[in-house]
Amino acid sequence: MSVFYEKFERHSGGAGLKGHATHYCPGCGHGLVHKYLAEAIEELGIQDRTVAISPVGCSVFLYYYFDVGNSQAAHGRAPAVALGHKYANPDAIVISYQGDGDLASIGLAEIVSAAQLGTPITVIFVNNAIYGMTGGQMAPTTLIGQKSTTSPEGRTAMMGQPMKMAELIAGLDGPVYVERVALFDAKQRMRAKKAVLKAVKLQAENRGLAFVEVLAECPTHLGMTPEETERWVKEKMLPVFPLGVKKDAVPEPWFHLEKPHFDAESLLAAIGASAESVPRFAAGFPTHLGGTDIALKLAGAGGDGAQTAAMLLTRAAIHEGYDATHIPSYGPESRGGTSYADVHVSADEVLSPASPHPRILVAFNAPSLAKFAPDVPPGGTILYDSSVVKDPPPFPAGVGAFGVPFTEIAVDLGKAMVKNIVALGALQAATKLFPEETFRTAFRLALKDKCAMIPLNEEAFSWGMRAVPPPAS
Amino acid sequence: MAKRLGPDVPDSFAAYRATRRAGTLTLEVFGMPTALRERPKPFLLPEFCKGCGRCIDTCAKHCIEPGDEIDPRTGLIPVTLNLEACNGCGLCFDACPEPYGLRPQPESEFELQDPEKLFGARAAAVRPRPVPIPPQAVPLPPVAPLVLKGNYASAIGALLAGCRHVFGYPITPSTEGAELMAKLLPKLDGVFLQAVSEVATVNMMYGCGGAGLPCMTFTSSPGFSLMLEGISYMVGAEVPGVFVNVMRGGPGLGNIGPEQADVKLACRGLGHGNTHAIVLAPSTPQEMLDLTRLAFELSFRYRNPVVIAADGYLGQMTGKVVLPDTMVQPGLPDWAVFGDVAHRGNLINSIFLDEKDLEAHNVHLNEKYRRMEAEQRADLFACGDASTLVVAFGTPARMAKGAVEELRREGMRVGLFRPLTLWPFPIAALKSFLPNVKRILVVEASNGQLEDELRLALSKAGVAPPPIESVRHFGGVLPQLAEIATAVRAHSEVAA
Ligand SMILES: Cc1ncc(C[n+]2csc(CCOP(=O)(O)OP(=O)(O)O)c2C)c(N)n1
Ligand code: SF4
Ligand code: SF4
Ligand code: SF4
């Protein structure tokens, strides 16, 4: 039994008898389950790579006893902690050990989701039909009629029916093996031992998640002798919690994870970083637009492409060596509602990224135009989609406004989607924000994985530019 | 020296010796002589019997009987063994809940002595202590600046810090972080796991961080609330992990606009118990990357979670990001519960049953928090001669910076003090120029949570602050440049 510590140092420092005795009450089922688990670990020769998760409940001190890697989890969360360990080290054999309050009440979401995920871990579920540690309150598995301190007259239907976890878990696709066993006689104990061994073995073989529910005795809170409790489990629990294999669908070993790698090239490739710098075309910052910080706003509905256009603007500016920011904001329904983008282009550092008073406004629909046009300061520029805005509002004094049929042009080109590129072309013609080639480079780069789209975008941009009358100088 | 059992203890040991001497018997199996050892009979040290009686019915040979004498060492009544009829069926071993209760007789002769020695010295006892494997810096070739959203920048910062394990539950406005990780991690043989909830998320981090690996999550305010129990466990068990909280409007479901109203939670309310974590406050996509990298370093240096307090705007904001010239290949700390032979003796745990032990653990944690207080960081903009000081972090700090620049052009002596660590509050940096400051204006998207941190830090430092005014917004509305500038102008008139 070398899987148990030679001396239980963590049990009150291992002083006196505590160094070799558990903290469990006489006759407690937990001790038996511990023993079978220890034997399984030993038999499979996996002690060094085993990690046991101690739950909250009477078995919170499981780590006193098992000479394996130990981790103590919050109430109900052992399966989540187990998954954290398993994904950290797929070679580890991770045992999630839980009581019925822990697993079938507070931790339902964790166990059900872990079971459906099916990642090979071993779940040992000790169902003693009561809350042991906190002093005998009703558990989700407490029987109808069973008294507990929170069902003093016995559990009634008003308190819900007992949870049949083995059946529930077996109903999921994820687990490979689910069995309910008991401890009340030698035959049951033999089966329990075998089930625990199998559940650990299935993990060691990378076959999947195994779940063993053990009907266990809590003599203390049933107020009976251990012997009477054994009988009680047999006579009272069994009819509600029938024993047996609930699922046994052992597949071929499937679980395998490579070790993460840390080489610079693959990381840079993954994030799309490249040593090539993008050519610059601008001779200097477009100060003709008033200062060294230009605020823009692109506003429309979801699907208008305002955010994509804003992103292209931002990239174009950064390619030119300026600083730039883009902040999207969406209406409440997030997709399909309003979609506004604030963009700043700055000679050195964007200080304030919001655009409450945009120097340049691009409006894709009438509400956006009506909402933001009044905020454009004198000297500013407004571009709007004249295909949908038939009746533009009066514009603030000193603002240049251009109605360009973004949508019509895009539809004529065969794809309404490119209306945002038409808009960028118009913006370019109306403001001379950057050299034309800066924009063209930005969308060519953005489309480098969809090269077929480049000619269409080139054309959309050109048509947008042409649609703005040359400034009357 | 051999130790005697107490005189009042039934001498099950004599029975043990008797059966041991029964020796081996030889059988002919398929004509081959085979020496078989007799099946072992049970052996029990009475002080390790709890007298539960579960073994009694198991024995068909009636070898085990209820005892009738209390063992003074345990106060329990152990069973008695009479093994004459015993056939070594072994059923009683499996009926005894105690690890050192009924067990097969040890294979060699021994003197009755310390149970430790009795049960044999094992390799475990002489296992070498695990050696910490330090993280390594891997050079990164120079690359062109990236154009990234704050959330993406943070994710890439984590990858550069060596994080390959990300757990999360989607919540706007943080989700892009998880989405990018879900896309990139498979390419790096890392793991992104979408948990069933934020509660499960933080507990997966407890497991993965407890295994000694860098891991993280992206979340936003309601999700962060749900993680607090787990963060308390991580602090208690000294488990590293990085939480990027892209704060949104609250309370309750609130909205998905930017807010800064989780400062109180992050600085003062990390679940139950005496908890603290370093709280980093980026304000640009570049800082989202840089501070996320730093967060991992601090998290492992102190074996403690680290929180990044970003806001919805920052998470969504795209900007220019320059990559550092190295990335990190993580090591493996000696304390990890990794699931291998070197780390088998380790335990990740926050329960200390004995009050004295738990107090000592708290003292240890408090001492660690005190060391963490050295991690104060702040960005000072035009503070040197400032008579009006704006204090802000995150996106509002950018608005404030714009305002300060504008006001400086007007000739006003105004500066921006921007904490990069909200906890520990960077009081040392503030103290250095505070004597010149006549007024402080705290600009924030909360009802004074940053101001509370400021006031508390000043008070603890024994500094009487100048008058403190505020610009506050809530619910997804951020303080704007013009409004901050107006407030400063108003203050300065008063101050003049
Ligand atoms: C969040 C939280 N809620 C409640 C508790 C209190 N608590 C401790 S153990 C327990 C019940 C454990 O019962 P069970 O899982 O059946 O285990 P047993 O003690 O019966 O083995 C409860 C409710 C806790 N520790 N944490
Ligand atoms: S209270 Fe019940 S479950 Fe807990 S140790 Fe005692 S018998 Fe076992
Ligand atoms: S080994 Fe079998 S026969 Fe011997 S005492 Fe145990 S149960 Fe009885
Ligand atoms: S089962 Fe073990 S603890 Fe219980 S009476 Fe028998 S020997 Fe003692």
Side-chain angles (χ1 to χ4, degrees):
Chain A
M1 283 253 218
S2 66
V3 171
F4 287 119
Y5 285 114
E6 214 174 296
K7 186 173 181 186
F8 303 146
E9 300 282 359
R10 293 178 182 135
H11 191 188
S12 301
L17 296 181
K18 290 189 172 167
H20 294 92
T22 68
H23 69 290
Y24 295 113
C25 310
C28 175
H30 278 301
L32 289 173
V33 183
H34 282 26
K35 235 170 154 171
Y36 306 157
L37 182 57
E39 284 171 24
I41 292 168
E42 174 155 42
E43 181 165 342
L44 296 169
I46 52 168
Q47 182 176 8
D48 284 338
R49 54 192 183 111
T50 298
V51 173
I53 316 298
S54 308
V56 170
C58 281
S59 45
V60 62
F61 299 123
L62 184 128
Y63 66 84
Y64 283 0
Y65 312 118
F66 282 79
D67 183 359
V68 297
N70 280 292
S71 181
Q72 198 289 317
H75 195 19
R77 318 302 171 205
V81 174
L83 287 173
H85 278 279
K86 190 71 183 179
Y87 281 101
N89 177 12
D91 292 334
I93 304 298
V94 187
I95 314 287
S96 181
Y97 186 108
Q98 297 187 267
D100 45 61
D102 203 66
L103 181 139
S105 184
I106 193 169
L108 266 176
E110 280 74 18
I111 188 57
V112 172
S113 58
Q116 183 66 327
L117 186 64
T119 303
I121 57 170
T122 305
V123 179
I124 306 292
F125 168 43
V126 177
N127 174 2
N128 56 15
I130 196 92
Y131 279 16
M133 186 187 222
T134 41
Q137 296 79 23
M138 186 176 75
T141 47
T142 293
L143 304 180
I144 294 292
Q146 185 187 336
K147 288 185 178 162
S148 73
T149 61
T150 50
S151 57
E153 304 301 325
R155 185 178 192 165
T156 68
M158 294 294 282
M159 303 167 194
Q161 298 292 328
M163 287 287 264
K164 299 185 176 104
M165 289 309 298
E167 285 78 5
L168 192 157
I169 298 297
L172 301 170
D173 298 323
V176 294
Y177 166 61
V178 179
E179 181 167 2
R180 184 184 285 120
V181 294
L183 307 169
F184 55 76
D185 65 24
K187 195 167 125 199
Q188 304 310 327
R189 289 192 281 263
M190 198 67 83
R191 285 188 179 148
K193 247 173 97 153
K194 271 175 62 187
V196 170
L197 175 66
K198 179 168 176 176
V200 181
K201 190 157 178 258
L202 287 169
Q203 180 183 177
E205 293 172 352
N206 292 318
R207 291 182 201 268
L209 181 139
F211 181 100
V212 179
E213 173 171 344
V214 186
L215 303 185
E217 294 77 12
C218 173
T220 301
H221 293 303
L222 289 172
M224 302 177 193
T225 65
E227 199 190 339
E228 287 164 351
T229 316
E230 285 182 343
R231 205 173 315 124
W232 185 86
V233 170
K234 183 177 175 181
E235 286 166 9
K236 297 288 199 280
M237 280 186 89
L238 236 52
V240 182
F241 300 111
L243 301 180
V245 176
K246 309 288 167 178
K247 180 169 184 183
D248 194 356
V250 177
E252 287 305 301
W254 59 272
F255 181 74
H256 176 73
L257 285 175
E258 295 292 343
K259 292 231 180 318
H261 55 261
F262 298 93
D263 65 292
E265 283 69 37
S266 49
L267 179 65
L268 291 178
I271 65 178
S274 120
E276 283 168 52
S277 56
V278 181
R280 293 181 181 178
F281 303 95
F285 193 80
T287 43
H288 64 276
L289 296 174
T292 54
D293 182 280
I294 304 163
L296 302 96
K297 192 182 281 286
L298 296 91
D304 282 337
Q307 306 302 339
T308 311
M311 193 56 139
L312 285 170
L313 261 166
T314 309
R315 285 180 189 278
I318 290 171
H319 293 160
E320 286 296 350
Y322 310 135
D323 192 19
T325 55
H326 160 213
I327 304 175
S329 88
Y330 301 100
E333 56 281 16
S334 130
R335 318 293 157 195
T338 57
S339 173
Y340 309 143
D342 285 7
V343 175
H344 270 252
V345 177
S346 188
D348 28 64
E349 186 195 352
V350 175
L351 295 180
S352 193
S355 306
H357 302 289
R359 172 83 194 198
I360 300 169
L361 170 68
V362 178
F364 288 92
N365 58 27
S368 299
L369 184 61
K371 182 165 177 173
F372 297 115
D375 299 335
V376 179
T381 303
I382 296 174
L383 296 135
Y384 62 92
D385 188 351
S386 57
S387 340
V388 293
V389 185
K390 295 298 179 199
D391 192 11
F395 295 107
V399 168
F402 303 87
V404 174
F406 304 156
T407 309
E408 274 165 39
I409 295 174
V411 169
D412 284 350
L413 289 170
K415 251 203 159 75
M417 222 174 71
V418 295
K419 67 178 162 185
N420 57 346
I421 305 297
V422 176
L424 283 182
L427 182 153
Q428 170 60 16
T431 64
K432 304 282 182 293
L433 179 61
F434 304 125
E436 187 184 328
E437 209 41 42
T438 307
F439 270 119
R440 293 192 186 271
T441 306
F443 61 70
R444 274 181 218 135
L445 276 175
L447 291 170
K448 68 173 185 287
D449 298 332
K450 297 183 206 156
C451 292
M453 294 294 292
I454 293 176
L456 174 65
N457 282 269
E458 294 268 13
E459 256 202 280
F461 189 78
S462 302
W463 279 104
M465 284 190 68
R466 269 176 245 148
V468 173
S473 48
Chain B
M1 258 317 286
K3 209 165 45 182
R4 289 252 1 117
L5 293 173
D8 48 352
V9 171
D11 197 359
S12 52
F13 228 71
Y16 159 77
R17 285 213 171 104
T19 50
R20 265 295 288 154
R21 274 182 226 111
T24 53
L25 60 160
T26 307
L27 289 180
E28 287 250 332
V29 179
F30 304 120
M32 305 264 288
T34 316
L36 281 189
R37 210 170 60 73
E38 193 186 343
R39 287 190 297 191
K41 293 184 176 177
F43 155 66
L44 178 69
L45 293 179
E47 63 268 44
F48 300 123
C49 170
K50 286 186 171 164
C52 71
R54 293 193 72 150
C55 51
I56 295 173
D57 272 0
T58 309
C59 182
K61 303 284 178 191
H62 308 292
C63 300
I64 311 175
E65 296 202 338
D68 48 14
E69 271 184 276
I70 293 181
D71 185 321
R73 292 165 299 183
T74 60
L76 299 168
I77 305 174
V79 291
T80 57
L81 305 186
N82 178 354
L83 298 177
E84 255 132 62
C86 171
N87 63 6
C89 73
L91 292 177
C92 56
F93 309 142
D94 290 339
C96 177
E98 282 297 304
Y100 290 106
L102 274 179
R103 34 191 293 120
Q105 290 166 3
E107 288 183 11
S108 56
E109 288 284 359
F110 59 89
E111 289 289 289
L112 186 53
Q113 45 187 272
D114 237 18
E116 258 166 87
K117 300 209 184 93
L118 165 66
F119 300 129
R122 294 202 313 270
V126 292
R127 242 191 338 246
R129 292 182 71 93
V131 181
I133 302 168
Q136 277 174 9
V138 178
L140 273 185
V143 292
L146 301 175
V147 183
L148 294 174
K149 248 184 200 203
N151 285 334
Y152 292 153
S154 175
I156 290 173
L159 295 177
L160 292 169
C163 172
R164 295 290 182 275
H165 292 82
V166 179
F167 305 96
Y169 188 84
I171 181 165
T172 312
S174 76
T175 312
E176 293 86 357
E179 287 170 347
L180 187 65
M181 288 302 202
K183 185 170 150 194
L184 298 186
L185 281 169
K187 299 182 186 174
L188 305 169
D189 290 326
V191 175
F192 170 78
L193 194 58
Q194 183 165 322
V196 70
S197 69
E198 285 86 352
V199 176
T201 299
V202 66
N203 286 286
M204 288 170 175
M205 290 175 67
Y206 180 92
C208 186
L213 299 195
C215 64
M216 73 168 321
T217 192
F218 289 90
T219 189
S220 179
S221 309
F224 191 64
S225 280
L226 265 184
M227 291 176 174
L228 293 176
E229 182 208 37
I231 294 179
S232 165
Y233 274 73
M234 287 175 77
V235 171
E238 301 193 85
V239 175
V242 173
F243 295 81
V244 179
N245 178 4
V246 186
M247 295 179 281
R248 61 186 246 181
L253 198 50
N255 64 23
I256 59 172
E259 212 178 60
Q260 298 182 308
D262 299 349
V263 171
K264 176 187 66 182
L265 275 189
C267 296
R268 305 284 149 201
L270 290 179
H272 54 287
N274 298 309
T275 58
H276 269 304
I278 294 173
V279 181
L280 300 171
S283 84
T284 60
Q286 180 73 55
E287 283 183 354
M288 284 291 268
L289 183 140
D290 295 340
L291 294 188
T292 305
R293 284 183 85 214
L294 176 66
F296 280 94
E297 192 186 319
L298 296 174
S299 187
F300 275 78
R301 183 179 306 157
Y302 294 103
R303 273 190 76 176
N304 202 73
V306 172
V307 179
I308 298 199
D311 57 69
Y313 244 54
L314 180 52
Q316 300 299 314
M317 186 192 304
T318 296
K320 176 165 139 185
V321 177
V322 178
L323 295 192
D325 52 16
T326 56
M327 59 176 245
V328 176
Q329 164 152 12
L332 190 62
D334 52 352
W335 50 258
V337 175
F338 187 66
D340 62 359
V341 62
H343 300 87
R344 195 176 99 192
N346 289 339
L347 168 68
I348 294 293
N349 176 40
S350 64
I351 180 169
F352 295 84
L353 213 51
D354 187 276
E355 285 88 347
K356 282 200 299 296
D357 293 346
L358 186 54
E359 178 163 58
H361 182 59
N362 269 273
V363 168
H364 159 74
L365 292 177
N366 292 340
E367 163 59 20
K368 184 166 87 173
Y369 304 151
R370 208 190 47 70
R371 281 186 286 122
M372 277 154 56
E373 281 182 36
E375 299 294 346
Q376 296 178 18
R377 286 167 171 80
D379 179 47
L380 276 56
F381 180 67
C383 285
D385 63 344
S387 60
T388 300
L389 188 66
V390 181
V391 179
F393 76 99
T395 303
R398 294 192 80 164
M399 317 299 192
K401 202 168 184 178
V404 167
E405 215 197 31
E406 191 173 306
L407 294 163
R408 279 274 169 184
R409 279 200 296 268
E410 293 171 16
M412 293 181 61
R413 289 194 303 152
V414 51
L416 171 67
F417 181 75
R418 182 166 71 89
L420 292 172
T421 52
L422 300 177
W423 193 95
F425 193 89
I427 188 68
L430 180 61
K431 258 175 28 185
S432 63
F433 60 89
L434 202 59
N436 301 331
V437 176
K438 300 286 176 289
R439 294 195 94 76
I440 292 178
L441 180 72
V442 182
V443 176
E444 60 182 317
S446 88
N447 64 350
Q449 299 188 14
L450 174 65
E451 186 179 323
D452 285 350
E453 288 306 309
L454 167 70
R455 285 182 182 274
L456 192 57
L458 286 167
S459 148
K460 283 186 170 179
V463 181
I468 299 176
E469 306 282 336
S470 60
V471 175
R472 296 175 182 175
H473 276 289
F474 324 99
V477 180
L478 289 181
Q480 294 299 322
L481 190 155
E483 179 183 20
I484 299 166
T486 307
V488 172
R489 284 188 201 101
H491 288 289
S492 301
E493 274 160 27
V494 182

